[in-house]
Amino acid sequence: MKLLLKFNLVLFLVFAVGFLAVGFVTNRLLQRNAKQEILENARIMMEAALAVRTYTSSQIRPLLITQIKYAFLPQSVPAYSANEYFSQLRKKFPDYSYREATLNPTNPVNRATDWESDVINHFRQTPDQSEMVAERDTPNGRVLYIARPMKIAPPCLQCHDTPEVAPATMIEKYGNANGFGWKVNDILTAQIVTAPMQLPIQRANTAFAGFMVSLAVVFVMILLALNAMIIYLVTRPVNRLSKLAHDVSLGNLEVPEFQLSGKDEIAELSRAFGRMRKSLIEALKMLEN
């Protein structure tokens, strides 16, 4: 096996191991960063919803509370404000969603779906847990969701204790079949923000593919450069020395002298061969005399 082939095999083996190791680490890092980006976006939206709820509770509801005797205005309900805020946001970001899923809501629109009910029941079973982050498959692709439980506070019972004590205007709007019998500190609702994973993961995959292609191109360039150096600095001089040595071993002392300039090992070898050739010629002349 030629020296150059051995060198290329070893270099290729080292590159293959390094390529796989770097690819594994890089892919995990990019995927983790993509999920962190998705989670950060979801948390920002969750905090935005909480800010809207707080604003409604502290500034809007006190202005509208007296109107409830004449007409029920959903604008005074924090959940309504948060959902309206997100409905405007979804016009530009349709793949994101916000829900205040409830097991027993006054407004049927807020009724929890099967998987949302599972999330709420999980919080009911683990009341100390303040947040859940998970993934799920949907018809539009895989999504990440962040959920937080909402405990029933005493002010909520003004509308959700029994139909008899609830505002008459609310009963007129939503009826008396749902949204009652709530208990303080019970968990009936979960705030759920859903964020798409497709685009960030796709960007991560694109970056990974670009990085790996660039790494492969760099390796090929290094391999070609090293091969050129080996051929020019090692293989060709050694082959010439090998041919001269072969001719001298057959008794041909008229071969031209071959010496390389420089101070590397191949140059030293060529000078040593030249001295050996001269010594051999002189020895043969002495034998002839």
Side-chain angles (χ1 to χ4, degrees), residues 32-59:
R32 185 181 66 181
N33 289 343
K35 290 184 179 180
Q36 287 296 326
E37 177 187 347
I38 299 168
L39 184 58
E40 183 178 358
N41 291 338
R43 283 208 169 102
I44 290 174
M45 291 189 169
M46 179 70 79
E47 294 300 327
L50 292 174
V52 171
R53 287 180 60 87
T54 301
Y55 171 77
T56 302
S57 298
S58 62
Q59 300 190 41

Side-chain angles (χ1 to χ4, degrees), residues 238-259:
V238 169
N239 285 338
R240 292 186 63 182
L241 285 173
S242 176
K243 186 177 183 303
L244 292 176
H246 177 74
D247 292 342
V248 171
S249 68
L250 295 178
N252 182 11
L253 302 179
E254 302 300 326
V255 294
E257 187 174 346
F258 174 70
Q259 287 191 0

